[in-house]
């Protein structure tokens, strides 16, 4: 076993953790067929089946699970050892994989990534916009970005971007002229509302607060969509009332094609945080990004 190919062992761990050849291939920038061939070589060398494969799932066998439990920490140590070489370079190299909410990918990160990448030309960024709550580390990401209420307590968090954000409710002038302007959040129950659906299938309720009074409604209307651009355009077309991040609606509000309603009910909330596990080795690209965020360019 002394001549066992480390790359084949690494391929097995990637597929076993992702529970998918295709998913592992996407994260590693290779092909599913290459990973399948690596696994075939490894199983042949060991003389035991490591993964159960069906058309719908990939799961470790008992032997595969036992190997994975011992192998994953060892591969982590190998990665950490190789990453230590970065300390001897003028600028770190490697890939930084981030899982972020859609709003952050579209309205926050673009304002800072240009400067970060100019400072660190050896770093490749892989950013996946995702609004569902997942175990980002099990999915192969180095870190995630989320809002305060959804962060685990044992995570290290670093503020980035705007430290205060808010949700804004708006409608087109034509819609308001035809249907009237709501004066209280309860009035929204008599209006057509354009709703957001997360990747998980959840459609959030709309929450408002003013001077100690809290109101939560379950809106109804003609459109439910995951794509924010579709929701904003529908509101501009006069199909209903929209509620979303101020950053998403700012261009339409500035252009006068949407009008802010119920502004006195807007409640500010804390901006996003980068988070990562305190129990994991911090790769050099992630360390460089954390240092960058702690500077003035990391928040506004």
């Amino acid at each position: 076993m002394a001549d066992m190919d480390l790359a084949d062992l690494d391929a097995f761990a990637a597929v076993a953790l992702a529970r998918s050849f295709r998913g592992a291939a996407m994260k590693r920038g290779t092909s599913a067929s290459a990973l399948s061939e690596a696994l075939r070589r490894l199983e042949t060398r060991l003389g035991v089946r490591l993964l159960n494969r069906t058309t719908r799932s990939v799961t470790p066998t008992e032997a595969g699970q036992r190997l994975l439990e011992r192998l994953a920490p060892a591969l982590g140590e190998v990665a950490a050892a190789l990453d230590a070489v970065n300390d001897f370079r003028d600028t770190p190299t490697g890939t930084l994989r981030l899982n972020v909410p859609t709003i952050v990918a579209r309205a926050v990160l673009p304002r800072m990534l240009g400067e970060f990448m100019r400072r660190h030309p050896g770093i490749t960024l892989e950013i996946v916009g995702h609004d569902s709550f997942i175990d980002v580390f099990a999915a192969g990401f180095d870190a995630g970005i989320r809002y305060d209420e959804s962060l685990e307590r044992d995570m290290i968090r670093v503020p980035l971007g705007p430290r205060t954000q808010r949700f804004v409710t708006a409608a087109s002038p034509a819609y308001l002229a035809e249907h009237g302007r709501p004066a209280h959040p309860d009035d929204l129950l008599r209006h057509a509302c354009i709703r957001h659906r997360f990747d998980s299938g959840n459609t959030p309720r709309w929450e408002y607060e003013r001077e100690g009074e809290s109101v939560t409604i379950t809106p109804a209307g003609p459109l439910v969509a995951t794509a924010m651009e579709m929701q904003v355009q529908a509101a501009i077309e006069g199909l209903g009332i929209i509620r979303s991040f101020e950053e998403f609606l700012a261009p339409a509000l500035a252009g006068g094609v949407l009008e802010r309603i119920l502004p006195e009910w807007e409640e500010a909330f804390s901006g996003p945080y980068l988070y990562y596990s305190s129990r994991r080795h911090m790769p050099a690209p992630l360390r460089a990004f954390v240092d960058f965020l702690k500077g003035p360019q990391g928040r506004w």
Side-chain angles (χ1 to χ4, degrees):
M1 299 296 177
D3 60 345
M4 186 70 66
D5 192 330
L6 184 61
D8 289 350
L9 290 167
D10 191 39
F12 157 72
V15 175
L17 289 170
R19 296 293 197 270
S20 164
F21 282 93
R22 181 177 297 178
M26 290 179 62
K27 291 169 194 163
R28 297 170 67 81
T30 186
S31 66
S33 60
L35 292 178
S36 180
E37 179 61 23
L39 185 65
R40 185 195 64 76
R41 287 195 302 268
L42 183 61
E43 289 180 329
T44 299
R45 180 73 61 84
L46 294 175
V48 64
R49 191 173 187 84
L50 299 174
L51 295 176
N52 291 315
R53 312 134 165 105
T54 70
T55 56
R56 295 187 177 182
S57 67
V58 176
T59 57
T61 63
E62 183 178 356
Q65 185 61 38
R66 186 171 301 181
L67 175 62
L68 181 64
E69 289 170 358
R70 300 290 296 272
L71 184 62
L75 290 173
E77 288 298 318
V78 171
L82 293 173
D83 185 65
V85 176
N86 266 316
D87 293 337
F88 296 91
R89 296 190 176 101
D90 293 335
T91 181
T93 63
T95 299
L96 174 59
R97 300 178 179 88
L98 300 177
N99 182 281
V100 309
T102 302
I103 176 63
V104 173
R106 296 181 181 178
V108 177
L109 287 180
R111 291 181 57 175
M112 61 179 64
L113 290 188
E115 177 62 23
F116 174 74
M117 297 182 77
R118 280 190 291 272
R119 292 188 186 186
H120 301 287
I123 294 177
T124 299
L125 281 170
E126 291 185 9
I127 297 174
V128 175
H130 203 288
D131 289 324
S132 296
F133 298 123
I134 65 170
D135 185 336
V136 297
F137 306 115
F141 294 96
D142 297 302
I145 297 176
R146 285 293 180 268
Y147 287 85
D148 190 54
E149 71 276 4
S150 61
L151 291 177
E152 299 285 346
R153 291 187 176 182
D154 62 345
M155 295 293 164
I156 297 175
R157 62 186 68 187
V158 180
L160 82 160
R163 298 323 311 138
T164 300
Q165 291 183 272
R166 67 184 70 245
F167 285 112
V168 168
T169 309
S172 71
Y175 178 90
L176 295 174
E178 182 177 355
H179 300 281
R181 182 181 295 269
H184 188 277
D186 285 339
D187 296 340
L188 295 170
L189 295 172
R190 296 184 289 275
H191 283 266
C193 295
I194 298 166
R195 295 167 290 163
H196 180 73
R197 174 165 289 159
F198 290 109
D199 296 337
S200 64
N202 178 47
T203 301
R205 296 185 295 176
W206 292 4
E207 300 177 356
Y208 297 88
E209 185 170 334
R210 181 185 68 174
E211 298 177 353
E213 180 185 1
S214 298
V215 179
T216 300
I217 68 165
T218 301
L223 177 65
V224 181
T226 58
M228 278 307 309
E229 291 85 356
M230 183 181 298
Q231 297 170 46
V232 173
Q233 188 58 41
I236 293 173
E237 296 292 333
L239 297 182
I241 294 174
I242 188 172
R243 183 173 184 264
S244 186
F245 285 92
E246 184 175 20
E247 291 85 353
F248 272 138
L249 301 184
L253 292 169
V257 291
L258 288 181
E259 293 183 13
R260 210 174 194 126
I261 59 178
L262 301 173
E264 66 277 12
W265 287 88
E266 295 171 3
E267 182 183 10
F269 55 90
S270 175
Y273 293 83
L274 176 86
Y275 70 98
Y276 55 95
S277 173
S278 60
R279 299 187 298 273
R280 295 167 60 94
H281 165 74
M282 182 188 289
L286 176 58
R287 185 165 57 249
F289 191 54
V290 169
D291 290 342
F292 175 81
L293 293 180
K294 290 180 178 179
Q297 64 286 322
R299 64 194 76 178
W300 56 84

